[in-house]
Amino acid sequence: MSAAAILQGKSGAWEPVIGLEVHVELDTATKMFCGCAVTKGDAPNMHTCPVCLAHPGALPVVNRRAVEYATRIALALNCTVRPRNVFHRKNYFYPDLPKAYQISQFDEPLALDGWFEYWSGGEKLRCRVNRVHMEEDAAKLVHAGGEAGRIAGSEYSVVDFNRGGTPLIEIVSEPDILSPAAARDFLQQLRDLVIELGVSECTMEEGQVRWDANISVRPAGSAGLGTRTELKNMNSFRYLQQALESELPRQVDVLEAGGMIDQETLHFDPTTGTTTPLRSKEEAHDYRYFPEPDLVPLVMDPAWVEEVRAGLPELPGARIARLSEQYGLSRADAVVLGGAGVLARFYEEVVARGVDAKLAANWTMGEYLAHLNAAGLEPGHGHVTAERLAALVRLVAEGTVSTSAAKDVFAKMIAERAEPAAIVETHGLGQISDGAKLEAVVADVVAGNPAQVEQYRGGKPQVIGFLVGQVMTATGGRANPKLVNELLRKTLDG
Amino acid sequence: MGALDTLRLTAREAKKLLVDGEVSAAELTKAYLDQIAAVEDRVHAYILVTADNAAKYSTKVDREMQAMRGPLAGLPIAIKDNMVTEGVTTTCASRILGNYMPVYTATAVRQLWDDHVVMLGKTNLDEFAMGSSTENSSVQTTRNPWDLATVPGGSSGGSAAAVAAGEALWALGSDTGGSIRQPAALCGIVGMKPTYGLVSRYGLIAFASSLDQIGPLTRSVYDCALLLRHIGGKDPRDTTSVESPEAVELPSAERLDGLRVGIPREYLAAGIEPGVRARFDATIARVEELGGTWVEVSLPHTEYALSAYYIIAPAEASANLARFDGVRYGHRAADADDLITMYERTRGEGFGAEVKRRIMIGTYALSAGYYDAYYGRAQRVRTLVRRDFDTVFEQVDLVASPTSPTVAFGVGSRTDDPLAMYMSDICTLPVNLAGLPAISIPCGLSGGLPVGFQLIGPAFSENRILDAAHALEAAIGFEPAPAFRDSSAGPEPGEGGSATVAAAGAPS
Amino acid sequence: MIGEDDVRYVAKLARLHLEQDEMRRMTGELAKILAHIDKMSELDTAAVPPTAHVLDVVDVTRADRVEPGLPRAEALRNAPAVTDDSFRVPRMS
């Protein structure tokens, strides 16, 4: 663990210490403890039953697929899946919690002691995972009459139980994250991983991924843990970064002034970009955990766990190593291409069409990624299919079109939704490799630039670059640069 | 056909009458509705009598009897009002349920609907099944038909009184610490708590999830078996329900040859009234007459069972009752401007004193810093109680004890002292802690009031228990029916002191 | 020994409003009951495993198949207050 972001205070250097508790809603067909459909965006209270409405006499029954999905996550995070796990009741009153307890896991959770490797600031970092456990999501609570839907100043609130009971996986990290950037990268890459596991689409807007951040600071280079504050229920990477950039200096200021950090929950206000303590009427929650008597323990058959492990998709670490080796890519390139499965798949499809791996890598990481970014597309979507990119790369490799012209072809291909070869044809972007034609242009350029010719012959070989440029200009950038170089040298030297 | 003697008729006999065409389902139901009309104003067993529905449905059963030939078709039953019944209000004898109209039906009850029983109504109980006298009901106090100045026991007091008073052929109750067996004993009828898990709890309004079970209250052991056969089974909606390794059989045993019975010395030391003890001893003598043997055994952790129970049950209850918060159903305090006030007033207004006490104990026992000392420890004591039974059942086939230390006590005589009330369950609640099956059968009278005899068996030994109880029942020959006396109205002419049915040669 | 402060804290946790006289009575009753329950502490239970379930059953789960639930009208029928097809609660501010 390195790359702590140093906070320069008045009296010395400090480093942030951040831990994250991430909640992921699973994309199972039904809820964690009942057969109601898990849905998004439907009208309120269309998917409820006596169980998820906590009617008297109703009882929970565990969703097997949710256990499988949770196990996938635990294994992908290198956790030890415990041989037996148990559900507990976490007791508190809130309108979005119909039983007034959440069925969750406490001291006998699904999995413990894993880690997650992620990249931040060009470095590979490792964050230990304390635990992965299963629980149920709360219902949707909306406050009416206050400002921006907040509780403060609200007149009443309403509850929609559609979401209540959705399977929720909690991933708790150790406080190993040492900068706001690392926190953001950790979350983004963790999200990518979960999506790849096929257990959740992790849509941010729907709040399918949310996290709490535990934030403290300590003198740079020291080991202990200071008092932490908590940011709860965030679902925006940008807001997290802003919140951290507000809270961390605040803590440094307090400590340097000789004060103490109060262990409190913070609210982040996006309009001011700052965090303020939540003035809550509650004292620290006394959750009164006890084992859920309505459910029996889950025994995790090792053979079944291995089946789940075998069924996991290739994980980022392994994939990066494989790409590097299989395609002779540099570590850095392999990281860019292999970090996310969707991009890696795209890249490999391009190469599979018989194109040079390194050339394909450059084009994928360069023009293609830039295009995805600009167009807001996911890899594999849009007009630039693996087939088309491969075709373009092949044209470059064959010398049919120069590299610079090919970039033009790429842009036009998208704009006109046409094939690369057709674009080259239509726009006459083909590289001129006709020796006779080029000889004529070369002769013209040599004739028209006696001073540079003189310099070249006088012992400045780099001047050839200017002359090559003149040929390129004369040919509208289409001359085959290698051939131009050869011809020029022949003319000048010969 | 003469008038049906609803005070004595068994389900077995009633079925025979139906099948033989001697009585119609409508007539059968009417007989019970008539008895309800005659005595309910003295007994107060029912919170709700569904007379119209019962009459209509029994008529329908008659019409479609050909199609509805099942063993329970047309037989009228009363259901304790802590089991949800879709379309029929369910109150749990609590104000906090308000006008709650269930949107589904409890599995055990649904099974009976499928068998075409006729529901007479929902019976009274201690609020949320917390109590041993039915005096904790927010609706009314049910009276024991044997002496209307006494309690029917609890929490299934309404069901027990209804059966005893001839207001129902049989009934369903629930048992968490003795709530079927103790009222059965006090009302002179049969009551059984099955092995934990045998009957689905889906739709049983939860009191203590790891202890609750639904069970029959009937006039005979045969009836008890018959009803139990139809309410059990593994329910996909109840994770804690299991399929019994063997089907519940209808008992036929007449002898107890080879049966070894253990009598726990700790239960006999538990303040058993002399009259109750005398009846118990007499019944043990019958066991021997029928070929059984008995031996004294020890369940050494019995005295700690009460402590463990009065932590575990309230702790689970405190969580189970937290859903009654005025948000989605039931009572909501009027004029509560903010959420917290609404919560606190709703629950303060809606729950009775005993329920509040137990919620408080339970919350306290689970609260920060106390878990290990209370709940954690109670769960370990529970293991010790189970192990006691496991050890004893290596020696004997069944354990016998008085069901309740006393006969029915006076209304209001224990309400000032919760602890005294809790002591009523000393012989029954260890059974719930261990999850074992147990039955109570009437074994005689003491001071004119019924005494119950309890048989406890290992897990899933229902058939062994029912057979033994059946044979013993015949030998005991408990005949009397309640006379709806009221001792608070002064003694009847010719009555003086306690009139005990004498027994010969009781062991001490 | 449980005192009125404890009772007040527990009542708050349990969202139970108790009148002053209820509070006083409850404190006495709970103290008595808890004193009796304390008998348990005579036992050395350190080496005894807790029984969370009397059944010897594990691993009961269900398939991830949608089952019909409640029509919205049924879901809302017992609601003390409804707004916008949702359960309304008094202000949380």
Side-chain angles (χ1 to χ4, degrees), chain B residues 263-266 296-302 388-389 391-392 395:
Chain B
I263 303 177
R265 74 170 73 96
E266 293 84 3
E296 191 185 75
V297 295
S298 175
L299 295 168
H301 296 94
T302 300
D388 281 358
F389 276 107
T391 306
V392 160
Q395 256 190 289

Side-chain angles (χ1 to χ4, degrees), chain A residues 28-35 43-46 48 61-65 93-94 143 151 154-159 161 282 286 288 292-293 295-299, chain C residues 9 12-15 52-53 55 57-72 74-76 78 83-93:
Chain A
T28 48
T30 62
K31 297 186 178 182
M32 187 73 214
F33 298 115
C34 68
N45 293 300
M46 294 298 288
T48 68
V61 185
V62 174
N63 180 339
R64 192 150 51 235
R65 180 161 288 145
F93 285 84
Y94 215 63
H143 311 294
I151 292 183
S154 64
E155 286 161 21
Y156 63 89
S157 304
V158 290
V159 195
F161 288 93
E282 314 300 327
D286 186 344
R288 289 157 279 139
E292 171 57 82
L295 295 175
V296 295
L298 292 177
V299 168
Chain C
Y9 173 72
K12 194 95 192 127
L13 269 187
R15 297 292 184 271
H53 296 94
L55 290 172
V57 168
V58 292
D59 262 0
V60 179
T61 57
R62 65 180 169 84
D64 189 26
R65 239 190 330 260
V66 177
E67 280 172 46
L70 292 171
R72 179 160 63 201
E74 279 296 279
L76 295 172
N78 285 289
T83 295
D84 298 335
D85 294 321
S86 304
F87 296 82
R88 188 173 81 241
V89 296
R91 64 176 173 81
M92 295 173 61
S93 54

Side-chain angles (χ1 to χ4, degrees), chain A residues 414-430:
Chain A
I414 295 165
E416 296 169 28
R417 303 188 70 75
E419 301 303 312
I423 297 287
V424 170
E425 182 76 38
T426 323
H427 293 271
L429 292 169

